[in-house]
Amino acid sequence: MTRLLIALAIVAVAAGVAYVAQKRRSPDAPTQRRYNIPEQLDRADFPRPDADWLVAVFTSNTCDKCAEVASKAAVLESTDVAVANLEFTQHRVLHERYQVDAVPTLVIVDSQGVTRKSFLGPMTATDLWAAVAEAREPGTTPGACADHAH
């Protein structure tokens, strides 16, 4: 009986040591920050509110990738698509109003101001153009490409 109690005590101590060692090896994951992407915009706040689509690019002069994203978006300008490059220092009010807290943030918005597709950070021109095509005419983007737009 004594041997059984000693064995149980040793097992309990070993389990405790293993638990503490495991906790030290795998710390809790750090808190993940989530950035805001506007779900709705007031089209009157942006150029050409009568256009069927708006591509709004929230940028900053201090952002290395913002100019690249803005130039990819600029090519989309057409009679149906208005493109707005909203640099932070010039359009601070819009960044604050729509709570954009990371750049570049790009949103593809319909005529009612509803965000249909978005990107946070840089994207390829192909992914951007496919996202606009898919927003304008759902089902036009092959399945694999549709996964790249948010």
Side-chain angles (χ1 to χ4, degrees):
M1 181 70 158
T2 305
R3 287 185 181 185
L4 179 61
L5 291 175
I6 292 172
L8 288 175
I10 291 172
V11 169
V13 169
V17 170
Y19 176 78
V20 169
Q22 176 65 24
K23 284 303 240 180
R24 285 189 179 176
R25 272 187 267 142
S26 60
D28 291 337
T31 302
Q32 301 298 311
R33 179 175 173 120
R34 302 227 184 259
Y35 294 101
N36 184 52
I37 295 176
E39 294 178 14
Q40 177 106 25
L41 302 178
D42 182 348
R43 290 292 304 270
D45 288 342
F46 301 90
R48 299 185 41 224
D50 57 326
D52 293 338
W53 295 93
L54 167 67
V55 175
V57 188
F58 292 88
T59 64
S60 170
N61 285 335
T62 62
C63 162
D64 292 338
K65 295 292 182 180
C66 288
E68 178 185 323
V69 171
S71 68
K72 289 174 186 173
V75 182
L76 297 168
E77 182 78 35
S78 69
T79 55
D80 294 333
V81 180
V83 177
N85 180 3
L86 307 159
E87 196 281 322
F88 179 74
T89 57
Q90 297 172 1
H91 299 278
R92 179 184 301 252
V93 171
L94 292 177
H95 280 249
E96 290 172 356
R97 178 173 183 181
Y98 295 108
Q99 300 174 355
V100 173
D101 51 8
V103 292
T105 294
L106 181 144
V107 291
I108 301 166
V109 179
D110 67 16
S111 62
Q112 302 301 309
V114 177
T115 298
R116 297 298 177 181
K117 301 283 182 181
S118 64
F119 292 91
L120 181 60
M123 80 293 295
T124 68
T126 303
D127 288 340
L128 174 58
W129 298 336
V132 171
E134 182 66 22
R136 291 177 72 184
E137 194 172 331
T140 59
T141 304
C145 293
D147 294 338
H148 296 285
H150 306 302

